[in-house]
Each structure stands twice: as structure tokens, then as C-alpha cells.
Amino acid sequence: MKIRFTLLLICFGFAATAQTLGPLTVEKIMRDPKWMGTSPSNIRWSDDSKKIYFNWNPNKTERDELFFITTNNTKPQKAGTIERRDMVPENGKWNKARTLKTYEEDGDIYVWRAGSGKIVQLTHTTGRESNPTFTGDEGSIVYTCDNNLYQLKISKGELTQLTNFVKATSAEKKPAKDTEQARWLKKQQAEMFDIVKVNDKDRKLDSAERAQDKPVKLKEIAFGDKRLNGVQLSPDGRYITYRLIKEAEVARAGIVPNYVTSSGYTEDIPNRTKVGAPQATSESFIFDTQRDTVYAIATKDIPGIKDIPAFYSDYPKELEALKKANADRKVDITAPYWSPDGKYAVVNVESQDNKDRWLMKLDTATGKLTLLDRQHDDAWIGGPGTGGFFADGSLGWADNTHFYFQSEASGYSHLYMADVMSGKKKQLTSGKWEVQTLHLSNDKKTFYFTANIEHPGVKHFYRIPVTGGAPVKITSMKGGNEIDLSPDEKWLAIRYSYSNKPWELYVQPNKPGAKAVQVTNSVTEEFKSYPWKEPEVISFKNRYGKDIYARLYQPKNPDPAKPAVVFVHGAGYLQNVHYWWSSYFREYMFNNMLVDNGYTVMDIDYTASSGYGRDIRTGIYRHMGGADLTDQVDGVKLLVEKYGVNPKHVGLYGGSYGGFITLMAMFTQQDVFASGAALRSVTDWAHYNHGYTSNILNEPFNDEKAYRQSSPIYFADGLKGRLLMLHGMVDQNVNFQDIVRLSQRLIELHKENWELAPFPVEDHGFVQPSSWADEYKRIYKLFEETLKGK
């Protein structure tokens, strides 16, 4: 269905009809994105596989609305109030036969029955019940409330409390001691009055009788000042596992001043700590309900638990001290993954320095661990499905004795299977590509996964038997395919896009070669009126012999100055050279505008980008602004030698990590880049957050060398070209303090060819169209003045 309409848009003094976009300008492309049309998002199936729900906004209302289709009727319909109210949440746990699903909503526990669609509310309290799951025999539902575990029998409605976690046990709660005066008075009373002696004797006898008649009390498990986490019951109901987290010492956190407020006063926004701040630690425990005893999961025998990170070889004094201390590294253990029959348990153990991930078989009777797989990286663990800071782990049971997982052991994230009885492992997929999402079929005979087998920039949906074999491709549209498999596994809901076509919803039978039917048409006539360019995807060898991929935009009518601009994507670990619609859609449109005005544009997936395996991912370890920056320089060399770009007329721009690279380029590659625009950029990694930075550069106090060679502020004296810096003043990710410190450094260095544009109401990701427009007008002006001589 096509919706045709005419709309007068007025933005920054520019007026345009909705039908024709005309020549691109910053004011046009940086408007509220609704002018383009809103792609469907948050796609999910109903539990009965009859409907697909999604958020959409075809009518440019204030907010996206909920729509749905059926497999028989693909015309989108708006969901009414009753439809929205009665929707069963996507999260929850199924029984083995997938006839019952239990879930939490608004702090209460529910059960949904497949077939009838009947919903039964099991709890209705002022407390907050959560994390419901079925017991091994599926006769009960176990959930948590107020730190404790409860079991509710489905047929009888009988409720049993399984744990009694307390801050301190009754024995630890000792009554206050009497003063000397009080003790003297008690002694005097007992000496003078026989009735006092009689009453004391009666009280002791009464207490003894009550103790004999009192039912057995649920064991008290004290957690003191620690935080309780991950309480879980074994399928046989015998063991309860949990984790106690000791919060880190209070570290000083940053403050972000907010100047434009409704009160008229400057208001402080509490912010994060900086890299190197003390981190929480944890211990995992087992409560054996039969033996009424608690014991820790033993970590001392984990292979490599005492290993010292390799980077300490650069610090001999500290290395010797660590060898002498011979301490265990700090680790975190996830709640056990239980085999379907409940006989085996596997835990995921991660070192806090993120250089090791162990999969261990847990002996719940003793708390001892046996190694199934160790994934070690001298840099850091990451990659799709492998765990660590950058990727969730894909873990689970294929049957009662085989445990599947992903690992980068081969250099690319692939699927493996471990036999927990023999300890043998088998690699199920292989090649210079990544398994990026993973799903085990309901019958546990097939793995479904998304991968970039054909090309790093093309995602398709595949299947293989759990025993391994050649992947069978199910989707066929070249580009990006984001798949939501129906619960009955008969259908695919596909969110698909191409490099110059935004995301749309398609439906396809779950069969290779089946036709995908388009459901939504989201883009407006105005957006379609411009011939958006399909950038050429190329590759080149960097100076280290690695294949580096890039998007190339070439002008039909190059400007006589033969200028070029390099766009640098953010995040570091992110992919932007691909055949699907970019998350940097504003920058994509800006690049189109640059090309229309005679610029050649290159967008590089540099070393550190995702989609290319372990070596590219970790190629910046201990030196950000090293290989990631020289990839930009090597790309410019290609532009000059192959595409006729003038080497004196090259600029670059990027935000966040891209802003960081821009600064490093302007400070250290002065002969390559004439100008640069650095948006929301990190200027000193010692002032960024812990989770991201410590993986790549370790910590400032133990690897100062890495921070010094990676932080632009140390190289500011090298600035020669013209630099534009742009930053949101309420940035809670890369704080505004970062750019202020660099500005002061440039002032003290007597540099004059730089400027800073602050944006008072913007966080890290800009929101206001006025800010986007102002920002990119400044960037365009910079390039026009420095790369064309205007």
C-alpha cells in the first residue's frame, strides 16, 4: 500500500514539497528523519506463530505505533488497545513440549497455555516476583521474590519457600550486652528473692520445650553487605546455586553539568567512573538442600588461573612483583546451564581481565570444576557469540551430553560441540567468516544461524544439522537479513535492507529458495525522488598485508581540485562497509551530498572493525591510533594512485571513535590530511569508561605505555592542518570534559588553526535536527574552504 500525500516542511528557513527532494543540502537531509519514512522495528512473533507484531510509523505520528500481520494476510493492521493489552511478553520460559509458557509481567507471574491461548495469573502481590521457570519435572514453577527462591505447584497451588537468604543469621544477631550496673542488679535480685530463681528456671524449661516442638527451620544463608545474584534451582530440586557480589570500593565518579534546564539553574548529572576504577568481585556458591550445607564453587584449580597477562613483559619490576605474589586472577561465574535430564551442569567462567573464558563442568556435590574448553586471548575475548564485553555468549545443550558454544579459536567465531562425558570437542563450522547469531531448533536437530559466508558485507540465514555439515542458505536477498524465526519454525520474519534502501519487513516460508514477500513500504515519495547512490564495495591490502574493505563513492563530475573525504565510523568494533542500510544514515546522505559537489568519498572498515575475525578485531590492542589509523592513510594512498585524488586536498571526519581517529590523523599524519572534523571524540583514553577501555588498553596505572601512545592529547603539538571539533555538552558517554582538556592543551601549545563548536543540549548521540544541521553545515564549510580553496 502506498500512501501519497503533500506536506509543507519548513526547517531552518527552507521549504520543500514532500514529492521532490531536489539537490541535496544539509538542511534537507538533517531534518527529523520522519521525512524519509520510518522503517519497521522491534519485530516479533506471537507465541502461536499466527501473527507478526512490529513498531511502525507510516503516518508520521508523534511516536511509532504497534502493527501486526498474519501469514495469510500481509496487509499491516494497527493493533488496538485490547490487542496490545493481551499480548504475551516475548520473554519467558517454555516447558519441554512448548504447551505452557511462564513469564513475569509487572512483578507478577503468569502462565500461558498454547492452543487455548488462556492466560492464568499465578501471583498477585505487592512484592515483585521475577525470573519464573519450570522445575525439572515441570510440575512446578520456580521464581524469585525479595532475594529468595519460591516453588509453586501448578496443580495444587501449594507455595514453598526454598531459600532463606538474610543479611545476618539469627546467631549473628546477638542481643546487646548488659552494662556492669545491669549485671550487678540481676545478681542482687537472684540473691534476695526465691521467686526470681523460680521464674528463671521456668523460663529455661519453657524455652527447651519450645525448641523440641518447633518445626525444622529453613536454613538461614547470610550474605551480609554483599549483593545476591543468579539464584537458581537444579532440575532435580536438590541444589541451589547463587552468586555473591562484593561491590567495589567507592570510586569518584564524574559529573556532567547541564546548563539548559527547566529550572534555570545549572544541574549536575551524576556520571560514570573512569577506566581503572575498582571493580566489583564475585564468588559463586552451592546450597545442597539434602545435606543442609553451603560451599563455594572452587576456582583455584582452573587452568591458567594464576597466569600473568603478557603485556607485563614491558614492565619487569611489576612482573616480578606479580610472580612473587602468585595470586589467582579474579573471575566471574555464570549460573549453571543444566542438561535436559538434569544430570550435568556447565558454567561459563570469565576472567575479570577478559583474557580468558573457560567452560567448566560443575560437580555440584563437591563444587569442583573440570575443563571443557579454554578460550584465551592475549588481547581480549570477544567476537560474536563468544562472550566478553563485546559479544553475548551463545551456549546451550544439544542433548543430555553435548554442550554447544562459539569460539574464535580458529581466528573467526565458529560453532563447536563438546561431549561432557569424554571431554572431546568438535568444530561444526569453519572458514574465513563469522557465525553472528545462533538458534537451536525446537527438536534440537538443527542449528539456524546468520553468517557472512558469501562476503563480509552480506548477511544470510543458514541451517546445519547439530552433527555438522555444509551450511544450507535459506534467504536469498543480497544485503542485510535480520531474521526472527517463528516459534513453530515454519516462517521467517525478515527485516531486510540494501545499501541504498532502508529496512523493510518481509515474510518467507522457512525453506531454501522460498520467495520473500514484502510487507511494508516505508520510504516517502520525497525520499524516493532522489537517486541515492549505491557505494562500490572494494578491498585493498594494508601495509601489513591484511585485506581491508571500504565503501567508495565516486563523483560523475569531479571538482577541478580533485578533493576527497574519508568518513571514519565510530565504536571501533562496528561494521559499516556492507550491502545493507547503514546505521550512519545521516552520514550516508551527507556523503551523497559531498559526491554531488565533486568530492570522492571513502568509508573504511579499518582494523578494529567487526565482521572480519579475531586478528582485525584485536589489531588495535595496546595501540589505538596505530593500525586503525594507518588503514586510513593506506586508503588515501589508494585514492591518489588509482582514483586520481589530489593528495593535498584530502580531509576526514567521524564521530566518537571516528572522532578519535580524526584527532590522531590531524596530529600525527599532517602530510596526509589537510583538514578534519572530530565529533564527540575521545581525546584521552584514561578518561573513558572501564568496560570498553580496559579490554583494549588494560588500565592506566598498569599499562601507561598503551595509554600514552593511544591518546590524542599527547600528540596535540603536531597539529598543522585545520581542525574542527564538535561536542555535546551533556555527553554522558564521552564527557565534554574530554574536549575541554584538549582545547586547553591546544591553547597552551599556541595552536590557532582549530575551533570548537559546543552543543549545549546534546548527549553523545545528537537528537535535535537543529543540532545535526548546525554540525554538518560547519563540517561542509570546513571542507569547502580547505579542500577546494574556497
Side-chain angles (χ1 to χ4, degrees):
M1 179 179 68
K2 292 184 178 179
I3 302 172
R4 298 184 180 273
F5 56 90
T6 301
L7 176 66
L8 183 66
L9 287 171
I10 302 176
C11 184
F12 310 108
F14 172 80
T17 66
Q19 297 296 322
T20 304
L21 186 59
L24 298 184
T25 65
V26 170
E27 288 86 349
K28 291 179 183 179
I29 60 180
M30 297 299 167
R31 287 174 283 164
D32 184 326
K34 288 190 181 74
W35 77 266
M36 303 161 53
T38 304
S39 294
S41 61
N42 298 324
I43 296 165
R44 54 153 296 194
W45 287 88
S46 60
D47 285 321
D48 59 9
S49 300
K50 293 180 179 179
K51 293 182 178 180
I52 301 174
Y53 293 100
F54 55 97
N55 294 108
W56 198 32
N57 194 355
N59 300 316
K60 296 185 182 179
T61 56
E62 279 294 315
R63 295 185 178 183
D64 292 2
E65 297 175 292
L66 183 68
F67 286 77
F68 70 89
I69 63 165
T70 68
T71 52
N72 295 322
N73 181 5
T74 59
K75 180 180 179 180
Q77 302 175 60
K78 190 185 298 185
T81 303
I82 295 176
E83 178 96 20
R84 295 196 305 270
R85 185 193 64 196
D86 293 342
M87 283 178 62
V88 175
E90 190 173 12
N91 63 328
K93 295 293 179 64
W94 288 92
N95 65 354
K96 294 173 185 175
R98 296 184 71 84
T99 56
L100 296 176
K101 178 182 178 180
T102 181
Y103 61 92
E104 175 263 327
E105 188 170 34
D106 296 327
D108 286 307
I109 306 300
Y110 295 79
V111 168
W112 179 81
R113 296 184 181 276
S116 68
K118 184 180 179 181
I119 298 174
V120 178
Q121 185 171 352
L122 299 182
T123 67
H124 197 169
T125 70
T126 56
R128 184 169 188 85
E129 292 87 26
S130 61
N131 303 316
T133 188
F134 290 95
T135 53
D137 62 9
E138 300 190 338
S140 302
I141 289 174
V142 175
Y143 63 87
T144 57
C145 182
D146 294 331
N147 286 327
N148 280 304
L149 205 61
Y150 292 82
Q151 180 174 336
L152 179 63
K153 291 187 177 179
I154 299 174
S155 59
K156 299 180 180 180
E158 180 183 341
L159 181 64
T160 304
Q161 183 173 340
L162 301 179
T163 62
N164 185 21
F165 289 107
V166 293
K167 283 284 186 181
T169 65
S170 300
E172 293 170 335
K173 298 175 183 176
K174 297 179 180 179
K177 292 183 178 180
D178 286 340
T179 63
E180 286 191 47
Q181 180 191 25
R183 290 196 296 271
W184 186 89
L185 288 173
K186 283 183 179 180
K187 180 182 177 183
Q188 183 194 45
Q189 294 294 93
E191 290 175 351
M192 288 189 172
F193 305 107
D194 289 339
I195 188 62
V196 172
K197 296 177 184 178
V198 172
N199 289 341
D200 283 346
K201 184 177 181 181
D202 287 342
R203 278 194 295 271
K204 290 178 181 178
L205 291 171
D206 290 343
S207 178
E209 289 177 1
R210 284 195 300 270
Q212 290 177 351
D213 297 338
K214 189 176 181 179
V216 177
K217 185 179 179 181
L218 190 60
K219 182 181 182 67
E220 291 181 328
I221 304 175
F223 57 90
D225 60 354
K226 298 178 181 178
R227 178 162 54 89
L228 185 65
N229 176 267
V231 183
Q232 182 178 307
L233 180 69
S234 63
D236 63 6
R238 175 174 175 176
Y239 299 102
I240 294 170
T241 53
Y242 61 96
R243 184 167 61 167
L244 294 183
I245 300 173
K246 183 178 181 181
E247 300 295 351
E249 299 175 14
V250 178
R252 185 172 182 179
I255 293 174
V256 176
N258 186 7
Y259 293 96
V260 182
T261 64
S262 58
S263 68
Y265 291 90
T266 300
E267 298 173 3
D268 290 336
I269 303 172
N271 197 235
R272 56 170 172 78
T273 58
K274 300 188 179 188
V275 59
Q279 301 298 300
T281 57
S282 68
E283 283 185 282
S284 293
F285 294 87
I286 301 169
F287 171 33
D288 184 340
T289 59
Q290 286 188 13
R291 292 185 292 165
D292 199 33
T293 185
V294 173
Y295 42 96
I297 295 178
T299 60
K300 62 182 180 64
D301 295 325
I302 294 176
I305 192 68
K306 294 182 183 294
D307 285 0
I308 299 170
F311 76 87
Y312 275 105
S313 61
D314 281 357
Y315 305 96
K317 183 178 179 181
E318 289 78 4
L319 178 60
E320 286 304 311
L322 289 171
K323 287 180 178 179
K324 185 176 180 180
N326 196 32
D328 291 353
R329 284 188 289 161
K330 297 172 183 176
V331 298
D332 292 310
I333 303 176
T334 63
Y337 294 82
W338 288 94
S339 60
D341 61 7
K343 291 183 179 180
Y344 299 102
V346 173
V347 294
N348 182 70
V349 185
E350 295 183 352
S351 61
Q352 203 167 79
D353 60 22
N354 208 17
K355 298 185 189 302
D356 278 282
R357 194 282 304 272
W358 300 270
L359 295 177
M360 312 286 289
K361 184 167 68 172
L362 171 64
D363 182 351
T364 44
T366 64
K368 292 183 178 180
L369 297 172
T370 304
L371 183 68
L372 292 175
D373 179 74
R374 179 185 180 185
Q375 185 180 186
H376 172 79
D377 200 313
D378 280 346
W380 74 92
I381 300 298
T386 62
F389 180 80
F390 292 98
D392 294 330
S394 297
L395 306 168
W397 291 90
D399 56 36
N400 288 325
T401 58
H402 290 87
F403 193 79
Y404 66 85
F405 60 95
Q406 283 182 242
S407 170
E408 279 189 321
S410 69
Y412 292 82
S413 182
H414 281 293
L415 179 59
Y416 294 76
M417 190 80 75
D419 186 323
V420 298
M421 296 183 68
S422 68
K424 293 182 179 180
K425 291 178 291 189
K426 178 182 180 181
Q427 184 173 347
L428 302 183
T429 62
S430 62
K432 293 184 177 181
W433 49 271
E434 296 181 333
V435 174
Q436 297 182 337
T437 67
L438 184 64
H439 175 82
L440 180 63
S441 64
N442 296 334
D443 62 9
K444 298 193 173 185
K445 294 181 179 180
T446 303
F447 282 115
Y448 292 102
F449 60 92
T450 303
N452 55 354
I453 297 176
E454 295 183 353
H455 184 279
V458 176
K459 289 194 294 189
H460 278 298
F461 194 58
Y462 298 85
R463 74 178 186 214
I464 60 168
V466 293
T467 52
V472 176
K473 188 173 74 170
I474 301 175
T475 53
S476 58
M477 298 182 291
K478 181 181 179 180
N481 292 275
E482 297 179 353
I483 307 300
D484 200 324
L485 185 63
S486 64
D488 63 8
E489 300 177 353
K490 295 179 180 179
W491 294 89
L492 309 180
I494 307 174
R495 191 171 179 260
Y496 168 80
S497 72
Y498 195 65
S499 56
N500 60 353
K501 297 176 182 177
W503 298 96
E504 300 287 4
L505 175 61
Y506 291 72
V507 178
Q508 175 189 319
N510 184 18
K511 298 177 182 178
K515 183 180 179 181
V517 176
Q518 186 170 348
V519 172
T520 60
N521 286 283
S522 304
V523 294
T524 63
E525 293 299 321
E526 184 181 12
F527 181 83
K528 288 188 287 186
S529 70
Y530 176 84
W532 298 103
K533 297 165 183 61
E534 179 184 341
E536 181 184 0
V537 175
I538 64 171
S539 66
F540 61 90
K541 294 284 186 182
N542 69 6
R543 64 190 65 190
Y544 306 108
K546 300 288 186 182
D547 289 321
I548 300 299
Y549 288 79
R551 279 183 164 190
L552 179 66
Y553 303 75
Q554 295 187 74
K556 291 182 179 178
N557 300 300
D559 187 272
K562 301 294 180 66
V565 170
V566 176
F567 168 63
V568 190
H569 71 67
Y573 191 61
L574 179 146
Q575 186 177 8
N576 201 48
V577 178
H578 47 62
Y579 286 95
W580 59 89
W581 184 249
S582 175
S583 59
Y584 289 97
F585 64 92
R586 292 184 179 89
E587 289 78 1
Y588 166 77
M589 293 189 291
F590 183 65
N591 291 341
N592 273 257
M593 191 188 93
L594 289 173
V595 173
D596 287 349
N597 286 276
Y599 292 85
T600 298
V601 178
M602 179 177 271
D603 171 4
I604 302 172
D605 268 350
Y606 49 86
T607 299
S609 297
S610 62
Y612 304 94
R614 185 263 174 197
D615 288 349
I616 294 296
R617 178 178 65 80
T618 63
I620 56 168
Y621 179 57
R622 300 188 68 208
H623 192 184
M624 300 157 95
D628 45 3
L629 175 56
T630 56
D631 286 347
Q632 318 295 330
V633 176
D634 295 345
V636 171
K637 183 173 182 287
L638 179 70
L639 289 178
V640 171
E641 295 177 351
K642 185 174 181 180
Y643 298 100
V645 164
N646 187 327
K648 296 186 181 300
H649 295 161
V650 181
L652 81 166
Y653 79 103
S656 197
Y657 199 99
F660 151 72
I661 288 291
T662 299
L663 292 176
M664 289 293 274
M666 295 302 296
F667 295 162
T668 67
Q669 302 291 335
Q670 306 92 329
D671 297 332
V672 179
F673 299 101
S675 61
L679 298 71
R680 51 194 178 274
S681 46
V682 176
T683 70
D684 186 345
W685 287 107
H687 291 259
Y688 197 49
N689 68 34
H690 184 87
Y692 179 94
T693 319
S694 64
N695 285 302
I696 306 173
L697 300 180
N698 304 307
E699 294 168 302
F701 54 82
N702 61 30
D703 198 358
E704 185 177 356
K705 176 182 176 181
Y707 283 82
R708 283 187 171 272
Q709 68 183 2
S710 300
S711 297
I713 200 166
Y714 290 105
F715 302 94
D717 194 35
L719 177 63
K720 289 183 179 179
R722 190 164 146 199
L723 173 63
L724 169 64
M725 302 184 298
L726 312 103
H727 212 112
M729 293 179 68
V730 288
D731 192 331
Q732 295 178 59
N733 183 3
V734 182
N735 297 160
F736 190 64
Q737 181 195 24
D738 245 39
I739 209 71
V740 171
R741 293 178 70 248
L742 179 60
S743 297
Q744 180 61 26
R745 180 72 177 142
L746 292 169
I747 291 169
E748 293 181 6
L749 290 169
H750 304 288
K751 297 294 180 179
E752 297 178 352
N753 49 335
W754 64 276
E755 58 184 305
L756 169 63
F759 294 84
V761 300
E762 296 295 352
D763 200 336
H764 195 62
F766 282 22
V767 174
Q768 299 302 319
S770 56
S771 299
W772 281 103
D774 184 273
E775 181 178 48
Y776 276 85
K777 280 191 290 187
R778 293 175 187 274
I779 296 170
Y780 185 61
K781 180 182 177 184
L782 171 74
F783 292 151
E784 287 285 283
E785 293 177 351
T786 59
L787 306 184
K788 290 183 177 180
K790 294 183 180 178

